[in-house]
Amino acid sequence: LPVPGLFAAGTPLVVALLTLVPPAGSTDVLNYAIYGRIAALGHDPYVTPPAWLHGTGDPVGDLAPLAWRNTPSVYGPLATWAQFAASRLGGDSMAATVFAFKVILALTFLLSAVMLDRLAGPEPARRARAHLLWSLNPLMLWHVVLGGHMDGLGAFLLVAALFVLRGPGMASGLLSGALLGAAAAVKAPFVLAGAGLAWA
């Protein structure tokens, strides 16, 4: 099956192109930039709504989407750290902050693809299935990479939890549990994947 080879050649190129173009599909990544900017300015995005930043005339806050303007952050602390990091990289530019966040997600998407390929094992059909469901899946590429959705970071940590669970001994189980906790610290629903880890 040609899919694993197609992944190696095509997916990094597609991911790079989708990272370079403006986000599409939703305004969520703009909200991430707003929350990151609030944190970078020394305020708490869990109690400070984007409306405050918008009201200050901040160049990033000026572009706060209307739908979430009065809603403080609903994401976990690890998500806030990623948003903060993107904001520090992007400074007072919404475009630069969004681009920095998309680069972070593009890297996690590609690393997830590599781990899924290893998890699938040597059988070509299993590897092809993994890539068709993740690295070559237009829905995943659109949602995670082009849309710049936070779910990509949580998915990366969850895949990493599955990946390290293959190791021998208690240490691999403890590390896997820590990575699951980190995924839940991005978005709480990721903790539900703990049922799969327990089964494994």
Side-chain angles (χ1 to χ4, degrees), residues 20 29 62 68 71-72 107 133:
L20 292 172
V29 72
D62 277 346
W68 287 73
T71 306
L107 292 173
L133 289 171

Side-chain angles (χ1 to χ4, degrees), residues 32-72:
Y32 306 155
I34 297 292
Y35 296 138
R37 179 69 170 165
I38 291 171
L41 292 173
H43 297 274
D44 185 350
Y46 294 105
V47 298
T48 306
W52 169 81
L53 189 64
H54 179 75
T56 66
D58 181 86
V60 177
D62 277 346
L63 300 172
L66 185 60
W68 287 73
R69 197 168 288 177
N70 294 307
T71 306

Side-chain angles (χ1 to χ4, degrees), residues 99-125:
F99 177 69
F101 196 77
K102 287 187 69 180
V103 168
I104 293 170
L105 290 174
L107 292 173
T108 61
F109 185 89
L110 290 172
L111 289 171
S112 297
V114 171
M115 288 188 290
L116 287 168
D117 182 76
R118 298 296 182 269
L119 283 167
E123 186 183 334

